[in-house]
Amino acid sequence: MLSIVGLFKKYQNKPILKNLNTSFDEQGVSIIVGMNGSGKTTLLNCITGLIRFDSGQVMMGEHCNDSIEFKEQLFYLPSDFYLPEYLTGNEYAKFIFTRFKNSDLSKFDVITKMLDLNEFLDVTLEAYSFGMKKKIQIAIALSVNVKYLIGDEIFSGLDFETTLLVQELIKQTAKTKKIIIVSHDSSTLDFYPDDLRILQHGVLSKYTGSAKELINEFRDKEGFRDKLNQLAKY
């Protein structure tokens, strides 16, 4: 189990995460939503150890998030990624796979063919489009065979067909792994409605209603409603 206890993070004395407590089991898809500036990416960066938090704990079983055991069982797919563009797709994938001992190269071959990437694997990453870079990252993420895959806006930049394929790939992977996704896309909420969580006021809470009810709840927020009224007047 991935557990977060008493997580507190502030920037310039402004609290972003406030005594956040939550946990994730080892299977299924969890979707985290929240307004801009609510701390979603900060939360992911705290979990993965990319930034330090002020207090609290992030644990996978008995292992804290700065341990090798923790890092070997978690893979992070950020929304903005900077790839070593002098490497080919294959070289980059092989480098990542050396860091994760349970990586499945045969699965990588299947997924890259499915995503129409196989003919570009010996091309340097500098020649890849944004969508192709996203595809290679997704193919690697689904092939490292870690317990937890964390993604920030996984589907942004993908064409419609690829989005449908990746949604199914994630759905199948989640039968044996845990996938945690930050998303603003309503279709993602509709496709994975079983565990929706809202990050607001520095606290992450489970949402018990449907994806449609969650969307309507955000539409009814005062600030958003004011913007709709302004739009109607315009």
Side-chain angles (χ1 to χ4, degrees):
M1 177 177 289
L2 180 65
S3 58
I4 303 170
V5 180
L7 192 65
F8 185 88
K9 175 65 181 177
K10 63 182 179 182
Y11 286 114
Q12 298 179 346
N13 293 322
K14 179 182 178 181
I16 304 299
L17 305 175
K18 306 174 185 177
N19 194 35
L20 189 151
N21 297 280
T22 194
S23 63
F24 301 92
D25 58 24
E26 296 185 1
Q27 294 179 0
V29 179
S30 296
I31 305 295
I32 297 174
V33 299
M35 304 294 284
N36 284 338
S38 61
K40 301 183 298 298
T41 300
T42 296
L43 173 59
L44 299 191
N45 287 340
C46 286
I47 293 173
T48 57
L50 288 177
I51 61 174
R52 293 184 178 274
F53 40 88
D54 297 298
S55 61
Q57 284 186 323
V58 178
M59 305 287 292
M60 187 184 299
E62 60 184 14
H63 303 295
C64 60
N65 73 328
D66 60 355
S67 67
I68 293 175
E69 292 84 358
F70 185 102
K71 296 180 185 301
E72 285 179 338
Q73 292 299 331
L74 183 143
F75 190 88
Y76 182 30
L77 214 173
S79 58
D80 297 321
F81 43 81
Y82 301 95
L83 305 183
E85 297 197 334
Y86 55 89
L87 296 180
T88 67
N90 263 329
E91 289 170 341
Y92 176 60
K94 289 177 181 177
F95 168 73
I96 298 298
F97 292 154
T98 62
R99 314 302 299 174
F100 295 91
K101 59 186 178 182
N102 294 322
S103 298
D104 188 337
L105 298 183
S106 62
K107 182 184 291 186
F108 178 73
D109 290 339
V110 170
I111 294 175
T112 51
K113 288 176 183 177
M114 191 180 300
L115 299 180
D116 299 320
L117 267 183
N118 52 312
E119 63 182 282
F120 299 101
L121 292 178
D122 291 321
V123 177
T124 56
L125 295 171
E126 64 181 352
Y128 281 34
S129 66
F130 180 84
M132 291 169 63
K133 289 177 181 178
K134 203 65 176 283
K135 287 180 182 181
I136 192 82
Q137 285 285 82
I138 290 170
I140 291 170
L142 294 175
S143 303
V144 291
N145 276 341
V146 293
K147 291 181 179 179
Y148 292 90
L149 169 60
I150 298 180
D152 194 352
E153 294 295 344
I154 288 179
F155 303 103
S156 64
L158 299 179
D159 59 78
F160 185 64
E161 180 183 357
T162 302
T163 297
L164 295 179
L165 282 171
V166 173
Q167 284 178 335
E168 289 294 340
L169 282 167
I170 287 175
K171 185 176 181 180
Q172 293 302 316
T173 301
K175 292 180 179 180
T176 57
K177 314 292 182 184
K178 184 64 178 184
I179 301 179
I180 303 168
I181 302 173
V182 162
S183 180
H184 297 100
D185 182 14
S186 59
S187 66
T188 302
L189 275 64
D190 287 331
F191 201 84
Y192 307 110
D194 294 337
D195 184 17
L196 304 177
R197 308 193 187 194
I198 304 177
L199 181 58
Q200 55 185 350
H201 309 304
V203 177
L204 185 66
S205 56
K206 290 191 176 184
Y207 188 75
T208 56
S210 67
K212 185 176 181 179
E213 289 171 334
L214 176 57
I215 293 168
N216 288 334
E217 185 172 311
F218 271 86
R219 289 175 64 90
D220 287 338
K221 287 183 179 293
E222 184 175 352
F224 189 84
R225 192 167 60 248
D226 291 342
K227 292 176 182 178
L228 289 179
N229 292 334
Q230 285 182 331
L231 178 62
K233 291 179 181 178
Y234 180 79

